[in-house]
């Protein structure tokens, strides 16, 4: 019996190890394909990753994850030839596509063909013999272009050789490589949507394909760099002509509006002055939005909500879904230990949980008074508020604390359901948070939330004693739920219940909202793991996830000033990206080497 259990344990370990190795191979394949073909959207146009068990002749056998091909026919005449196509055609968005085939055994005669074919081409033939079929054959080194008659092309190939096939989707040509060396152009004027294809004809022939599972023998990335340089040079040479002045003025306006949109006050002022333009928003308004953005991007959502309601009354009342999104983000920041409502309860948050460098100092906001009529997201004792804690707010018992008041108000009328207590109407001092940016990296600060220009600011603030203590302590601490404070965890759980109630109320008042439902479910899922940061839903805790929240809130504020939700520069970049996507769908391979990001960074 013990021998049986021992054998089972060994088999289990072999299976587990095998699965782990397969996962690593799949991960390596995905990384290599993303690096080689970044413009390809595999949701729309999947890349070839293996041979198709369905699109082959019966004399072809597949093994080793459908990467090894062996011949199992009679091999007496050309009528015994057999081919197999890859699972998917080559996407035009690759720009340049490459795969390799290693000859494991040339078999009896080495009648092997490597190349390309269109969907529907007869598989009872070697590649190249029929229309829309192209192949390089090992027995004679000839290339076959939609014809049974070959043309002298390259050397023969046999056991141990590695033959590569490169398709250039920009100029519609194809060349082959042998053992890492290019053999020159074999075919021109290729049609779109061709499949990698291999054909065998005599017993004993065995080949292995490499669609990116392993590093290639040929340096295809160097060839890709050459074509990227060519395409970018074409773009740079685009004729501007007599409209240069008009275009320059238009670009200056777009840049100015972009700086204003993202609240780069000092830069917007300086740029407007140097280009003789007007800023179409009051400086005070820009700085107000900047304050809110800084709070969101530093994970201090409670304060961001409160500040928004003080500066823009009724904005969140008119946008209950927006308020709900902000509250869900606040819950996530509570889990992260960065929201003031949990930090003020004694939790010490490690640096990795604070994410953004140079986070603003604690925000001294007015205290709140609880309202006994509020069924959820109600106010709490004002002894501890948004990072400012009185001496009497903590005791030795983790259960004897008085919880923080949550930040900010209601998306619903006070007579119905009020959220998080009443708002303070005290003005916010410009000294509360240092919002001005001193240094820029590529023109982008840490408050950037534009979605296509993400830099980091070198802006730092001199920490006070408390902050310094926290930094020393955090360097030695481990990431912990809510910063490691039991009181903070209790507050977070209570806040979660209130958030659930808010969700149910919104559903009753406004109807079902699948986006809100998923948002809340994903946020609550963080509590299912002992280490949320390493969990499948841990991406929510990444500071980068604050940016879309920041952008959405900023756009809503701008709408109140009758300003565009999105700056024209962002719209232009988005339009360019969509044009590239359309080029990919219509088979224009040059789109692969015309990435918008290459010109922004």
């Amino acid at each position: 019996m013990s021998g049986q259990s021992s054998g089972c344990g060994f088999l289990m370990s072999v299976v587990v190890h095998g699965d782990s190795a397969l996962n690593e191979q799949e991960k390596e394949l995905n990384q290599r394909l993303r690096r080689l073909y970044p413009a390809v959207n595999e949701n729309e146009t999947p890349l070839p990753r293996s041979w198709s068990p369905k699109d082959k002749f019966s004399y072809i056998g597949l093994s080793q994850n459908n990467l090894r091909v062996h011949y199992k026919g009679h091999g007496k005449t050309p009528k015994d030839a057999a081919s197999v196509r890859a699972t998917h055609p080559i996407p035009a968005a690759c720009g340049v596509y490459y795969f390799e085939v290693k000859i494991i055994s040339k078999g009896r005669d080495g009648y092997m063909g490597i190349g390309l074919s269109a969907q529907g081409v007869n598989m009872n033939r070697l590649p190249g013999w029929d229309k829309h079929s192209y192949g390089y054959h090992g027995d004679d080194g000839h290339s076959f272009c939609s014809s049974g008659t070959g043309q002298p092309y390259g050397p023969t190939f046999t056991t141990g050789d590695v033959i590569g096939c490169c398709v250039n989707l920009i100029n519609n040509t194809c060349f082959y490589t042998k053992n890492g060396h290019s053999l020159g152009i074999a075919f021109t004027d290729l049609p779109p949507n061709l499949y990698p294809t291999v054909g065998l004809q005599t017993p004993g022939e065995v080949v292995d394909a490499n669609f990116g599972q392993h590093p290639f023998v040929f340096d295809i990335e160097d060839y890709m760099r050459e074509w990227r340089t060519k395409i970018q040079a074409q773009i740079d040479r685009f004729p501007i002509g007599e409209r240069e002045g008009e275009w320059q003025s238009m670009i200056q306006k777009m840049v100015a509006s972009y700086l204003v949109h993202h609240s780069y006050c000092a830069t917007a002022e300086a740029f407007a002055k140097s280009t003789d333009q007007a800023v179409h928003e009051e400086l005070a308004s820009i700085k107000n939005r900047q304050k809110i953005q800084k709070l969101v991007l530093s994970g201090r959502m409670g304060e961001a909500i409160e500040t928004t309601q003080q500066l823009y009354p009724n904005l969140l009342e008119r946008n209950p879904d927006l308020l709900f999104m902000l509250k869900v983000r606040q819950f996530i920041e509570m889990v992260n230990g960065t929201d003031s409502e949990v930090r003020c309860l004694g939790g010490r948050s490690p640096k990795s949980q604070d994410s953004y460098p140079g986070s603003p100092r604690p925000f001294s906001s007015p205290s709140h008074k609880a309202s006994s009529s509020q069924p959820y997201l109600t106010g709490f004792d004002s002894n501890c508020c948004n990072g400012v804690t009185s001496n009497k707010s903590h005791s030795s018992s983790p259960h004897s604390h008085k919880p923080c008041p949550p930040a900010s108000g209601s998306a619903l009328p006070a007579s119905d359901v009020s959220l998080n207590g009443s708002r303070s109407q005290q003005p916010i001092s410009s000294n509360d948070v240092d919002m001005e940016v001193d240094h820029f990296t590529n023109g982008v600060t840490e408050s950037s939330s534009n979605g296509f220009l993400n830099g980091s600011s070198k802006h730092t603030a001199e920490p006070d004693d408390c902050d310094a203590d926290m930094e020393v302590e955090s360097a030695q601490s481990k990431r912990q739920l809510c910063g490691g404070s039991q009181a903070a965890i209790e507050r977070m759980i209570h806040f979660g219940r209130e958030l659930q109630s808010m969700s149910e109320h919104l559903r009753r008042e406004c109807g079902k909202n699948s986006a809100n439902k998923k948002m809340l479910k994903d946020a609550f899922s963080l509590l299912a793991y002992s280490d949320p940061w390493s969990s499948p839903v841990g991406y929510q805790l990444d500071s980068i996830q604050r940016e879309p929240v920041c952008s959405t809130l900023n756009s809503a504020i701008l709408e109140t000033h009758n300003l565009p939700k999105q700056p024209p520069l962002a719209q232009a970049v988005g339009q360019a990206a969509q044009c590239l996507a359309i080029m990919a769908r219509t088979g224009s391979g040059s789109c692969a080497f015309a990435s918008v990001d290459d010109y922004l960074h």
Side-chain angles (χ1 to χ4, degrees):
M1 195 68 181
S2 62
Q4 285 182 345
S5 65
S6 163
C8 288
F10 171 74
L11 286 173
M12 183 65 74
S13 67
V14 169
V15 170
V16 170
H17 178 74
D19 287 345
S20 176
L22 283 174
N23 289 337
E24 282 301 313
Q25 290 175 7
E26 187 70 18
K27 183 178 179 182
E28 182 182 351
L29 172 62
N30 290 334
Q31 289 175 343
R32 185 170 288 111
L33 293 181
R34 277 197 297 270
R35 187 178 72 249
L36 290 172
Y37 315 115
V40 173
N41 178 358
E42 287 208 76
N43 293 324
E44 294 184 0
T45 54
L47 288 160
R49 291 170 177 252
S50 65
W51 301 114
S52 170
K54 298 178 181 178
D55 196 5
K56 68 181 183 66
F57 193 65
S58 57
Y59 291 170
I60 290 290
L62 299 177
S63 60
Q64 298 191 11
N65 297 318
N66 294 330
L67 292 172
R68 173 161 289 186
V69 184
H70 65 271
Y71 182 77
K72 56 181 185 179
H74 306 293
K76 294 179 180 179
T77 70
K79 293 182 179 180
D80 293 327
S83 293
V84 58
R85 268 187 286 268
T87 51
H88 299 98
I90 300 167
C94 291
V96 169
Y97 180 79
Y98 185 74
F99 71 99
E100 288 182 340
V101 174
K102 182 174 183 179
I103 314 304
I104 303 302
S105 172
K106 79 177 188 68
R108 191 184 71 198
D109 299 322
Y111 291 167
M112 300 168 290
I114 297 167
L116 309 158
S117 66
Q119 181 70 47
V121 171
N122 188 0
M123 290 282 91
N124 188 199
R125 308 272 283 168
L126 288 184
W129 285 353
D130 297 303
K131 187 177 181 181
H132 295 153
S133 181
Y134 310 85
Y136 168 35
H137 292 194
D139 60 307
D140 56 11
H142 287 189
S143 63
F144 290 76
C145 177
S146 301
S147 169
T149 304
Q151 301 294 323
Y153 171 65
T156 61
F157 52 86
T158 186
T159 302
D161 287 330
V162 176
I163 304 301
C165 178
C166 178
V167 182
N168 186 320
L169 296 120
I170 301 170
N171 62 10
N172 300 317
T173 62
C174 168
F175 70 86
Y176 288 89
T177 67
K178 180 180 178 182
N179 300 326
H181 300 284
S182 174
L183 303 178
I185 299 294
F187 309 114
T188 59
D189 300 319
L190 293 174
N193 299 316
L194 295 175
Y195 290 72
T197 306
V198 68
L200 309 175
Q201 191 179 312
T202 63
E205 293 171 353
V206 182
V207 300
D208 280 353
N210 177 11
F211 294 105
Q213 284 81 4
H214 308 284
F216 292 120
V217 176
F218 177 71
D219 188 358
I220 189 62
E221 293 188 60
D222 185 59
Y223 179 75
M224 287 178 165
R225 279 191 290 271
E226 289 180 24
W227 273 92
R228 182 174 287 107
T229 301
K230 289 180 182 179
I231 296 301
Q232 291 179 351
Q234 287 182 13
I235 295 171
D236 292 341
R237 291 196 302 268
F238 182 81
I240 296 176
E242 298 177 354
R243 300 186 63 186
E244 182 173 1
E246 179 186 338
W247 286 19
Q248 187 71 26
S249 175
M250 184 184 300
I251 289 172
Q252 287 175 351
K253 289 179 180 178
M254 292 170 71
V255 171
S257 66
Y258 173 85
L259 294 172
V260 170
H261 181 97
H262 291 289
S263 309
Y264 301 143
C265 304
T267 309
E269 280 190 296
F271 186 80
K273 186 176 181 180
S274 66
T275 56
D276 194 25
Q277 295 185 68
V279 177
H280 299 292
E281 185 181 2
E282 292 182 4
L283 186 61
S285 174
I286 299 174
K287 288 189 174 182
N288 285 340
R289 289 192 294 107
Q290 192 183 56
K291 287 180 183 181
I292 294 168
Q293 288 179 351
K294 193 76 175 271
L295 290 168
V296 172
L297 293 174
S298 60
R300 295 156 63 183
M301 288 303 307
E303 297 169 66
I305 294 170
E306 180 180 13
T307 305
T308 300
Q309 291 185 313
Q310 289 180 6
L311 293 172
Y312 305 100
N314 303 321
L315 171 64
L316 299 182
E317 291 180 12
R318 294 193 304 266
N319 294 273
D321 286 333
L322 173 60
L323 177 60
F324 182 74
M325 180 187 69
L326 299 177
K327 291 291 184 181
V328 172
R329 187 67 216 176
Q330 184 178 2
F331 177 84
I332 294 169
E333 298 298 350
M334 284 182 170
V335 174
N336 217 5
T338 48
D339 190 74
S340 298
E341 285 202 38
V342 294
R343 291 183 68 164
C344 71
L345 291 173
R348 295 293 189 179
S349 172
K351 261 186 180 177
S352 59
Q353 295 178 181
D354 282 334
S355 305
Y356 272 81
S359 294
R361 298 180 185 181
F363 179 85
S364 302
S365 64
S367 61
H368 289 245
K369 292 183 180 180
S371 169
S372 59
S373 63
Q374 293 165 350
Y376 60 93
L377 296 183
T378 53
F380 287 83
D381 193 283
S382 60
N383 291 330
C384 170
C385 180
N386 288 337
V388 182
T389 311
S390 73
N391 294 332
K392 64 180 181 178
S393 62
H394 297 287
S395 68
S396 58
S397 168
H399 299 288
S400 62
H401 73 283
K402 294 184 179 181
C404 276
S408 80
S410 169
L412 305 163
S415 59
D416 185 358
V417 180
S418 178
L419 306 179
N420 268 9
S422 59
R423 298 192 302 273
S424 169
Q425 298 301 317
Q426 296 182 29
I428 297 176
S429 167
S430 60
N431 296 324
D432 286 336
V433 185
D434 177 16
M435 302 306 301
E436 196 58 66
V437 180
D438 298 324
H439 304 285
F440 293 81
T441 301
N442 293 332
V444 184
T445 74
E446 68 177 348
S447 62
S448 171
S449 60
N450 55 320
F452 65 89
L453 266 179
N454 293 323
S456 59
S457 169
K458 296 180 181 178
H459 177 72
T460 55
E462 288 294 323
D464 54 26
D465 293 340
C466 178
D467 290 337
D469 291 341
M470 179 175 290
E471 288 189 4
V472 172
E473 185 174 321
S474 67
Q476 302 171 346
S477 60
K478 182 185 176 184
R479 289 187 302 195
Q480 294 178 317
L481 197 67
C482 300
S485 163
Q486 179 65 32
I489 291 173
E490 291 175 6
R491 172 66 193 124
M492 178 267 296
I493 292 173
H494 183 67
F495 186 89
R497 293 194 185 108
E498 296 168 339
L499 200 52
Q500 177 65 36
S501 297
M502 181 181 182
S503 172
E504 292 168 358
H505 181 87
L506 280 176
R507 190 164 60 249
R508 287 193 303 268
E509 293 294 315
C510 307
K512 292 182 179 180
N513 186 315
S514 57
N516 285 353
K517 182 179 179 181
K518 183 182 185 304
M519 194 190 311
L520 188 62
K521 180 181 178 181
D522 289 349
F524 284 174
S525 295
L526 291 166
L527 302 186
Y529 300 91
S530 56
D531 182 5
W533 292 268
S534 303
S535 72
V537 291
Y539 67 90
Q540 298 175 91
L541 298 166
D542 194 316
S543 61
I544 198 73
Q545 299 299 325
R546 298 167 185 164
E547 293 194 2
V549 176
C550 183
S551 179
T552 302
L553 178 56
N554 187 48
S555 295
I557 293 171
L558 285 166
E559 274 194 299
T560 65
H561 294 289
N562 294 317
L563 293 170
K565 293 173 63 175
Q566 192 179 26
L569 183 60
Q571 290 179 325
V573 170
Q575 184 181 28
Q578 285 300 310
C579 285
L580 291 173
I582 293 171
M583 288 173 67
R585 294 190 194 103
T586 55
S588 178
S590 57
C591 67
F593 303 129
S595 169
V596 176
D597 287 343
D598 290 342
Y599 293 88
L600 295 177
H601 298 292

